[in-house]
Amino acid sequence: DKAKPAGKAERLGKGFNAVSIAFCRPKPCSAGYRSATLSMANFTILLSFFFILWYTACMEQQEQTNQVDNESADYVEKAGVDFALAASYAAVDKSALENKRDVLYSLVCFGCMFDMRFASDPDPLLDKYAALSAPEPQKLDLCVLVHTLVTLPEASDELKAMWYQMYPYVLLSGAPLNDKLHAEIKTALLNEKVFEAVLQSRYSVYVPAASDELRAQGYPQTVLDWYAPYQAYASERDEKGVTRETRECKRLLALGNFDQALTRAERLLAVFPDDEQVALTDIAARVSLIGVHTEKERTALLSDTLSLIDEYIQISQNTYFRYYRGLTLLGLMDTAAAREEFKRCLKEDPSFELAQFMLSAMDKNGAGA
């Protein structure tokens, strides 16, 4: 048997350490979700058209200069807390709770575990209930707070999804854990409707794809048990062998959300380096970003992508790896080598129309002849 790529988890997982990963969950496949998901073949057709347009623009010296907005992991994690608190404030405001002031104050206290600005620069809604004024409101135990929020009639699946992500912080905080409330929180949050909302959330990249690293680092069993149902759900494969989370990456690619797709795909590839569908999705996301990087950034990205593709070409018979190698070489302006890759695709699979399309387009533009 051929050896699997070595060292990929270390190289591709940089910046996606499970320890710093916030908490979120993938979601099921609704009819609308399925309809928005392209097959790899269909997406690659769109990508091929994009590549021809990009290459032609380069020939006319019209290189794009848009920069990718690279948010730090710390900021995105904080933004997830921002979103959870804002959604919670709104739900409490609309609710029939009699202790709204106490709940809002407790939410501020939770936010201050991450950033004191939740108290120093509070949401205007807090003034409505004098949540930060004397006399000091009653601070709820964290478990009580989460239970109150996720069992509200007004609690949307989106709000529940955010508290699915936030709840491990509660489990790790050392706060008292009420067994009865904990069980009811699990009932409210550990279900497919919530998982679906989490999967589409941009913050779902902070949910560990697997718990091996967390277990090795001594995380408590309650946290591992919290993630386990979602991880099983997210990794469930369809009839083509593609996991739910990989399908979500492809959906993001189809929508043009290349940065989000790449972040998700690299996170998955760091954990599942032998999954060809994950690898192809990661490579597709990388190549798709060619039009939104500067020349220096693009060259670095594509050079690294070429190295990644070469690892898989050694062990896989999937023609798409070689096709993406051709696209990557074309992005690096090595048109002669790109042409040879597309020719080799057709030699391996004469019915591979994408390669023929790229060759025809290159002939039209006089590239690499």
Side-chain angles (χ1 to χ4, degrees), residues 191-239:
N191 59 73
E192 288 201 353
K193 288 188 67 178
V194 174
F195 291 171
E196 181 174 3
V198 177
L199 184 59
Q200 284 193 340
S201 166
R202 65 174 297 181
Y203 308 113
S204 63
V205 295
Y206 291 98
V207 179
S211 290
D212 294 347
E213 186 172 353
L214 298 182
R215 184 176 293 105
Q217 293 177 1
Y219 273 65
Q221 190 62 42
T222 52
V223 174
L224 304 182
D225 291 343
W226 183 255
Y227 285 130
Y230 167 72
Q231 290 167 341
Y233 170 82
S235 60
E236 186 175 330
R237 298 179 183 274
D238 62 13
E239 65 280 359

Coordinates of all heavy atoms in Angstrom, one line a residue, residues 191-239:
N191 N -29.4 18.4 19.2 CA -30.4 17.9 18.2 C -30.0 18.4 16.8 O -29.3 19.4 16.7 CB -31.8 18.2 18.6 CG -32.0 19.7 18.7 OD1 -32.1 20.4 17.7 ND2 -32.1 20.3 19.9
E192 N -30.6 17.8 15.8 CA -30.2 18.1 14.4 C -30.6 19.5 14.0 O -29.8 20.1 13.2 CB -30.8 17.1 13.5 CG -30.2 15.7 13.6 CD -30.4 14.9 12.3 OE1 -31.2 15.4 11.4 OE2 -29.8 13.8 12.2
K193 N -31.7 20.1 14.5 CA -32.0 21.4 14.1 C -31.0 22.4 14.6 O -30.6 23.3 13.8 CB -33.4 21.8 14.7 CG -34.6 21.1 14.0 CD -35.9 21.7 14.5 CE -36.1 23.1 14.1 NZ -37.4 23.7 14.6
V194 N -30.5 22.2 15.8 CA -29.4 23.1 16.3 C -28.1 22.8 15.5 O -27.4 23.8 15.2 CB -29.2 22.9 17.8 CG1 -28.0 23.7 18.3 CG2 -30.5 23.4 18.5
F195 N -27.8 21.6 15.3 CA -26.6 21.2 14.6 C -26.6 21.9 13.2 O -25.5 22.4 12.7 CB -26.5 19.7 14.4 CG -26.2 19.0 15.7 CD1 -26.3 17.6 15.7 CD2 -25.9 19.6 16.9 CE1 -26.0 16.9 16.9 CE2 -25.7 18.9 18.1 CZ -25.7 17.6 18.1
E196 N -27.7 21.9 12.6 CA -27.8 22.5 11.2 C -27.5 24.0 11.3 O -26.8 24.5 10.5 CB -29.2 22.3 10.7 CG -29.4 22.9 9.3 CD -30.8 22.6 8.7 OE1 -31.6 22.0 9.4 OE2 -31.0 23.0 7.6
A197 N -28.0 24.7 12.3 CA -27.7 26.1 12.5 C -26.3 26.4 12.8 O -25.7 27.3 12.3 CB -28.6 26.7 13.6
V198 N -25.7 25.5 13.5 CA -24.3 25.6 13.9 C -23.4 25.4 12.7 O -22.4 26.2 12.5 CB -23.8 24.7 15.0 CG1 -22.4 24.8 15.3 CG2 -24.6 24.9 16.2
L199 N -23.7 24.5 11.9 CA -22.9 24.2 10.7 C -22.8 25.4 9.8 O -21.7 25.7 9.2 CB -23.4 23.0 9.9 CG -22.5 22.5 8.8 CD1 -21.1 22.1 9.2 CD2 -23.2 21.3 8.0
Q200 N -23.9 26.1 9.6 CA -23.9 27.2 8.7 C -23.3 28.5 9.4 O -23.0 29.5 8.7 CB -25.3 27.5 8.2 CG -25.7 26.5 7.1 CD -27.0 27.0 6.4 OE1 -27.7 27.8 6.9 NE2 -27.2 26.4 5.2
S201 N -23.1 28.4 10.7 CA -22.5 29.6 11.4 C -21.0 29.7 11.0 O -20.3 28.7 10.9 CB -22.6 29.4 12.9 OG -21.8 30.3 13.6
R202 N -20.6 30.9 10.8 CA -19.2 31.1 10.5 C -18.3 30.7 11.7 O -17.1 30.5 11.5 CB -18.9 32.6 10.1 CG -19.2 33.6 11.3 CD -18.8 35.0 10.9 NE -17.4 35.1 10.6 CZ -16.8 36.3 10.3 NH1 -17.5 37.3 10.2 NH2 -15.5 36.3 10.1
Y203 N -18.8 30.6 12.9 CA -18.1 30.3 14.0 C -17.9 28.8 14.2 O -17.2 28.4 15.2 CB -18.7 30.9 15.3 CG -19.0 32.4 15.1 CD1 -20.3 32.9 15.1 CD2 -17.9 33.3 15.0 CE1 -20.5 34.2 14.9 CE2 -18.2 34.7 14.8 CZ -19.5 35.1 14.8 OH -19.7 36.5 14.6
S204 N -18.5 28.0 13.4 CA -18.4 26.6 13.5 C -17.0 26.1 13.3 O -16.7 24.9 13.7 CB -19.4 25.9 12.6 OG -19.0 26.1 11.2
V205 N -16.1 26.9 12.8 CA -14.7 26.5 12.6 C -14.0 26.3 13.9 O -12.9 25.7 14.0 CB -13.9 27.5 11.7 CG1 -14.5 27.5 10.3 CG2 -13.9 28.9 12.3
Y206 N -14.6 26.8 15.0 CA -14.0 26.7 16.3 C -14.5 25.5 17.1 O -14.2 25.3 18.2 CB -14.3 28.0 17.1 CG -13.6 29.1 16.6 CD1 -14.2 30.0 15.7 CD2 -12.2 29.3 16.8 CE1 -13.5 31.1 15.2 CE2 -11.5 30.3 16.3 CZ -12.1 31.2 15.4 OH -11.4 32.3 14.9
V207 N -15.3 24.6 16.4 CA -15.7 23.4 17.1 C -14.7 22.3 16.6 O -14.4 22.2 15.4 CB -17.1 22.9 16.6 CG1 -17.4 21.6 17.2 CG2 -18.1 24.0 17.0
P208 N -14.0 21.6 17.5 CA -13.0 20.6 17.1 C -13.7 19.6 16.2 O -14.7 19.1 16.5 CB -12.6 20.0 18.5 CG -12.9 21.1 19.5 CD -14.2 21.8 19.0
A209 N -13.0 19.3 15.1 CA -13.5 18.3 14.2 C -13.4 16.9 14.8 O -14.1 16.0 14.5 CB -12.7 18.3 12.9
A210 N -12.5 16.7 15.8 CA -12.3 15.5 16.5 C -11.7 15.8 17.9 O -11.2 16.9 18.1 CB -11.4 14.5 15.8
S211 N -11.9 14.9 18.8 CA -11.5 15.2 20.2 C -10.2 14.6 20.7 O -9.9 14.7 21.8 CB -12.7 14.8 21.2 OG -13.8 15.6 21.0
D212 N -9.5 14.0 19.7 CA -8.2 13.3 20.1 C -7.3 14.3 20.8 O -6.7 13.9 21.8 CB -7.6 12.7 18.9 CG -8.4 11.6 18.3 OD1 -9.3 11.1 19.0 OD2 -8.1 11.2 17.2
E213 N -7.1 15.5 20.3 CA -6.1 16.4 20.8 C -6.6 16.9 22.2 O -5.8 17.1 23.1 CB -5.9 17.6 19.9 CG -4.8 18.5 20.4 CD -4.4 19.5 19.3 OE1 -4.9 19.5 18.2 OE2 -3.6 20.4 19.7
L214 N -7.9 17.2 22.3 CA -8.5 17.6 23.5 C -8.3 16.6 24.6 O -7.9 16.9 25.8 CB -10.0 17.9 23.4 CG -10.4 19.1 22.4 CD1 -11.9 19.3 22.5 CD2 -9.6 20.4 22.8
R215 N -8.5 15.3 24.2 CA -8.3 14.2 25.2 C -6.9 14.1 25.6 O -6.6 13.9 26.8 CB -8.8 12.9 24.5 CG -8.8 11.7 25.5 CD -9.3 10.4 24.8 NE -10.7 10.6 24.5 CZ -11.3 10.8 23.3 NH1 -10.5 10.9 22.3 NH2 -12.6 10.9 23.2
A216 N -6.0 14.2 24.7 CA -4.6 14.1 25.0 C -4.1 15.3 25.9 O -3.2 15.1 26.7 CB -3.7 14.2 23.7
Q217 N -4.8 16.4 25.8 CA -4.4 17.6 26.7 C -5.2 17.6 28.0 O -5.0 18.5 28.8 CB -4.7 18.8 25.9 CG -3.7 19.0 24.7 CD -4.0 20.2 23.9 OE1 -4.9 21.0 24.2 NE2 -3.3 20.4 22.8
G218 N -5.9 16.5 28.2 CA -6.6 16.4 29.5 C -7.9 17.1 29.7 O -8.2 17.4 30.9
Y219 N -8.6 17.5 28.7 CA -9.8 18.1 28.8 C -10.8 17.2 29.5 O -10.8 16.0 29.3 CB -10.4 18.5 27.5 CG -9.9 19.9 27.0 CD1 -8.6 20.1 26.7 CD2 -10.8 20.9 26.8 CE1 -8.1 21.3 26.3 CE2 -10.4 22.2 26.4 CZ -9.0 22.3 26.1 OH -8.6 23.6 25.7
P220 N -11.7 17.7 30.4 CA -12.6 16.9 31.1 C -13.6 16.1 30.2 O -13.9 16.6 29.1 CB -13.4 17.9 32.0 CG -13.2 19.2 31.4 CD -11.9 19.2 30.7
Q221 N -14.0 15.0 30.7 CA -14.9 14.1 29.9 C -16.2 14.8 29.6 O -16.8 14.6 28.5 CB -15.2 12.8 30.7 CG -15.9 11.8 29.9 CD -15.1 11.3 28.7 OE1 -13.9 11.1 28.8 NE2 -15.7 11.2 27.5
T222 N -16.7 15.8 30.4 CA -17.9 16.5 30.1 C -17.8 17.3 28.8 O -18.8 17.4 28.1 CB -18.3 17.4 31.3 OG1 -17.2 18.3 31.6 CG2 -18.7 16.6 32.5
V223 N -16.6 17.8 28.6 CA -16.4 18.6 27.3 C -16.4 17.6 26.1 O -17.0 17.9 25.1 CB -15.2 19.4 27.4 CG1 -14.9 20.1 26.1 CG2 -15.3 20.5 28.5
L224 N -15.7 16.5 26.3 CA -15.6 15.5 25.2 C -17.0 15.0 24.9 O -17.3 14.8 23.7 CB -14.6 14.4 25.6 CG -13.2 14.8 26.0 CD1 -12.4 13.6 26.3 CD2 -12.6 15.6 24.9
D225 N -17.7 14.7 25.9 CA -19.1 14.2 25.7 C -20.0 15.2 25.1 O -20.9 14.8 24.3 CB -19.7 13.8 27.1 CG -19.0 12.5 27.7 OD1 -18.3 11.8 26.9 OD2 -19.2 12.3 28.9
W226 N -19.7 16.5 25.3 CA -20.5 17.5 24.7 C -20.3 17.6 23.2 O -21.3 17.7 22.4 CB -20.2 18.9 25.3 CG -21.0 20.0 24.8 CD1 -20.6 21.0 23.9 CD2 -22.3 20.3 25.1 NE1 -21.6 21.9 23.7 CE2 -22.7 21.5 24.4 CE3 -23.3 19.7 26.0 CZ2 -24.0 22.0 24.5 CZ3 -24.5 20.3 26.0 CH2 -24.9 21.4 25.3
Y227 N -19.1 17.4 22.8 CA -18.8 17.5 21.4 C -19.1 16.2 20.6 O -19.4 16.3 19.4 CB -17.3 17.7 21.2 CG -16.9 19.2 21.5 CD1 -15.8 19.4 22.3 CD2 -17.5 20.2 20.9 CE1 -15.4 20.7 22.6 CE2 -17.1 21.5 21.2 CZ -16.1 21.8 22.0 OH -15.7 23.0 22.2
A228 N -19.1 15.1 21.2 CA -19.2 13.8 20.6 C -20.4 13.7 19.6 O -20.2 13.2 18.5 CB -19.2 12.6 21.6
P229 N -21.6 14.0 20.0 CA -22.8 13.8 19.1 C -22.7 14.7 17.9 O -23.0 14.2 16.8 CB -24.0 14.3 20.0 CG -23.5 14.1 21.4 CD -22.1 14.5 21.4
Y230 N -22.2 15.9 18.0 CA -22.0 16.8 16.9 C -20.9 16.3 15.9 O -21.1 16.3 14.7 CB -21.7 18.2 17.3 CG -21.2 19.0 16.1 CD1 -22.1 19.4 15.2 CD2 -19.9 19.3 16.0 CE1 -21.7 20.1 14.1 CE2 -19.5 20.0 14.9 CZ -20.4 20.4 13.9 OH -20.0 21.0 12.8
Q231 N -19.8 15.8 16.5 CA -18.7 15.3 15.7 C -19.2 14.1 14.9 O -18.8 14.0 13.7 CB -17.5 15.0 16.5 CG -16.8 16.2 17.1 CD -15.9 15.9 18.2 OE1 -15.9 14.8 18.8 NE2 -15.0 16.8 18.5
A232 N -20.0 13.2 15.5 CA -20.5 12.1 14.7 C -21.5 12.6 13.6 O -21.5 12.1 12.5 CB -21.3 11.2 15.7
Y233 N -22.3 13.6 13.9 CA -23.2 14.1 12.9 C -22.5 14.8 11.8 O -22.8 14.6 10.6 CB -24.1 15.1 13.6 CG -24.9 16.0 12.7 CD1 -26.1 15.5 12.2 CD2 -24.5 17.2 12.3 CE1 -26.9 16.2 11.3 CE2 -25.3 18.0 11.5 CZ -26.5 17.5 11.0 OH -27.2 18.2 10.1
A234 N -21.5 15.6 12.1 CA -20.7 16.4 11.1 C -19.9 15.4 10.2 O -19.7 15.7 9.0 CB -19.8 17.4 11.7
S235 N -19.5 14.3 10.7 CA -18.6 13.4 9.9 C -19.4 12.3 9.2 O -18.9 11.5 8.5 CB -17.6 12.7 10.8 OG -18.2 12.0 11.8
E236 N -20.8 12.4 9.3 CA -21.6 11.4 8.6 C -21.5 11.6 7.1 O -21.6 12.7 6.6 CB -23.0 11.5 9.1 CG -23.9 10.4 8.5 CD -25.3 10.4 9.1 OE1 -25.5 10.9 10.3 OE2 -26.3 10.1 8.4
R237 N -21.3 10.5 6.4 CA -21.1 10.6 4.9 C -22.4 10.3 4.1 O -23.2 9.5 4.6 CB -20.0 9.6 4.5 CG -18.7 10.0 5.1 CD -17.6 9.0 4.7 NE -16.3 9.3 5.4 CZ -15.4 10.1 5.0 NH1 -15.6 10.8 3.9 NH2 -14.3 10.4 5.7
D238 N -22.5 11.0 3.0 CA -23.6 10.7 2.1 C -23.3 9.5 1.2 O -22.2 8.8 1.4 CB -24.0 11.9 1.3 CG -22.8 12.4 0.3 OD1 -21.9 11.6 0.1 OD2 -22.9 13.5 -0.2
E239 N -24.1 9.3 0.2 CA -23.9 8.1 -0.7 C -22.7 8.2 -1.5 O -22.1 7.2 -2.0 CB -25.1 7.9 -1.6 CG -25.4 9.0 -2.6 CD -26.1 10.2 -2.0 OE1 -26.4 10.2 -0.8 OE2 -26.3 11.2 -2.7

